[in-house]
Amino acid sequence: MKKILHYFKHEVVLTVALIAALASFLLVPPGAHTLAGIDTTTLLMLFSLMTIVAGFRHMGAFDKLAGAVTSRIHTLRGLAMTLTTACFLLAMVATNDVALITLVPFTLLLMQSAKIQHLTLTVVLETIAANLGSMVTPIGNPQNLYLYSSGKLDALAFPALTWPYAALAFAMLMACCLLIPAEKIASSAASEERLPTRKLWLYAALAVIALLALMEVIPAWALAVVVAVAVFAADRQVLKQVDYTLLATFVCFFVFVASVKAYAPISAWLEGLMAASPLVTSMLASQVISNVPACLLLSPFTGDTSALMLGVNLGGLGTLVASLASLISFRLYGAAPGAKKGLFMGVFTALNVLFLAAMLLLAWALGAI
């Protein structure tokens, strides 16, 4: 019992999500709607991608890549700019989750000798970059995938609606990188050991299959089965490195949303709010239940899908739970040696409020609010 209590005390976000999910049963008892509300596609994709990245990390691929990168970038500021830009661009084609799962561990490795405040700022900027870069394409994040696959928005609508926000966001990100000193950094010594060829080919092949799943060529369940079976057979230790707590947090949020959605008085209230201001309502809802569940919850209550899309994407800024992808950064950062979670939360909150204010001001100027 002590171990269980210690676990939930340590995993604060999961604890809050679990309490919210259980409390929602007071509104509507669990039933078929509860299971239907759990987005298994998102869960299976996240499991698969975390496993693939863990495999590359376990074999030492990031160590070798670290040496290659730092041999070409000679300043801490240049490294922060490069990594933030990479996060911004990668999120457009491989989702914000994948961008952070891939690049935050890489950042922690490359900047392990940097001052903790500079490392923290870089990870926060990467998180903002992933959340805002992902809004430009239909495959950039789960909420966009949902709106695209359900036929509510076509592929070209995303860049057409979001490019002004993306341009402003990128300019602000680069400006924030100037806060990091241009001090010289030493090249990271990559391991001289050769990467295991069979495992390298295995994870490369799984990455290609994952890309097909992201493009909806194959279903997410097929990807998860292939990844689980292949990794269990060839490299089963990697399965222990998957963040199952994060998956459980996702499940709790989906259960909470399903219960709220099934409660008639709240449904009527949400319909009224969405009729008044879909962008602001979806943005505010994202602050409490995160933008993916907010999108699923609110989409039935509005015909203005463009405003909903902007609201849930801009709503990824703000609180730590506003975008579930941000939880990935927080957990990866928090597990690093010398990490200061309080510092992370302070920097994260300050910059997210700044970026959200700038995005909402632009939305007002463009007549979206």
Side-chain angles (χ1 to χ4, degrees):
M1 181 60 69
K2 287 184 178 179
K3 289 183 177 179
I4 294 174
L5 291 175
H6 176 76
Y7 173 78
F8 281 104
K9 184 178 179 180
H10 179 70
E11 302 294 344
V12 178
V13 177
L14 172 61
T15 302
V16 172
L18 179 60
I19 292 172
L22 294 175
S24 70
F25 293 155
L26 298 175
L27 299 176
V28 179
H33 69 279
T34 307
L35 293 177
I38 298 175
D39 189 345
T40 54
T41 298
T42 297
L43 296 172
L44 291 171
M45 285 297 304
L46 186 56
F47 162 77
S48 302
L49 294 167
M50 285 194 296
T51 304
I52 293 169
V53 172
F56 280 116
R57 185 168 58 248
H58 184 66
M59 76 172 73
F62 286 164
D63 293 330
K64 284 191 171 292
L65 191 56
V69 170
T70 54
S71 66
R72 292 170 174 79
I73 300 173
H74 305 292
T75 67
L76 193 61
R77 180 185 296 167
L79 188 59
M81 285 183 166
T82 300
L83 291 168
T84 301
T85 300
C87 230
F88 190 80
L89 297 175
L90 182 59
M92 295 183 189
V93 296
T95 79
N96 51 355
D97 296 335
V98 178
L100 294 171
I101 291 170
T102 303
L103 291 172
V104 170
F106 187 31
T107 303
L108 297 173
L109 176 66
L110 288 174
M111 300 182 70
Q112 57 186 332
S113 61
K115 291 181 179 179
I116 190 63
Q117 61 264 35
H118 300 148
L119 171 61
T120 303
L121 176 57
T122 301
V123 174
V124 169
L125 291 176
E126 287 177 324
T127 306
I128 295 172
N131 284 327
L132 292 178
S134 65
M135 68 181 172
V136 178
T137 66
I139 61 171
N141 52 50
Q143 65 267 23
N144 282 6
L145 274 171
Y146 166 73
L147 294 173
Y148 171 67
S149 61
S150 63
K152 295 178 182 294
L153 286 175
D154 60 49
L156 295 179
F158 294 92
L161 289 168
T162 61
W163 75 262
Y165 305 94
L168 175 60
F170 186 74
M172 291 179 66
L173 287 166
M174 292 300 100
C176 289
C177 285
L178 296 178
L179 297 173
I180 297 174
E183 61 188 37
K184 296 289 184 180
I185 54 172
S187 296
S188 176
S191 172
E192 295 182 2
E193 237 179 84
R194 293 187 63 183
L195 296 177
T197 305
R198 289 185 179 180
K199 289 182 179 179
L200 184 60
W201 279 108
L202 167 67
Y203 289 109
L206 292 176
V208 172
I209 298 173
L211 181 60
L212 294 176
L214 286 168
M215 298 170 63
E216 299 184 307
V217 175
I218 62 173
W221 67 262
L223 169 66
V225 169
V226 170
V227 168
V229 172
V231 174
F232 181 81
D235 200 12
R236 65 187 63 180
Q237 288 185 341
V238 167
L239 291 173
K240 297 179 182 179
Q241 300 176 19
V242 176
D243 191 348
Y244 297 104
T245 297
L246 182 63
L247 295 175
T249 303
F250 271 63
V251 172
C252 290
F253 275 121
F254 286 132
V255 169
F256 171 77
V257 168
S259 298
V260 170
K261 191 174 178 180
Y263 188 60
I266 292 182
S267 293
W269 177 61
L270 291 175
E271 187 171 3
L273 290 176
M274 290 300 285
S277 181
L279 191 153
V280 174
T281 299
S282 53
M283 182 273 294
L284 291 175
S286 298
Q287 304 306 304
V288 181
I289 61 174
S290 91
N291 53 5
V292 178
C295 183
L296 298 174
L297 174 66
L298 298 173
S299 61
F301 303 112
T302 183
D304 192 349
T305 308
S306 297
L308 171 66
M309 186 272 288
L310 283 175
V312 294
N313 277 287
L314 300 183
L317 299 167
T319 64
L320 184 63
V321 299
S323 169
L324 296 182
S326 298
L327 297 177
I328 295 173
S329 288
F330 181 66
R331 289 189 56 79
L332 292 171
Y333 171 87
K340 294 185 177 181
K341 294 183 179 180
L343 176 63
F344 182 96
M345 288 302 300
V347 175
F348 179 91
T349 302
L351 285 180
N352 269 262
V353 169
L354 173 64
F355 274 74
L356 181 57
M359 295 299 116
L360 291 177
L361 183 61
L362 177 59
W364 173 79
L366 295 175
I369 297 179

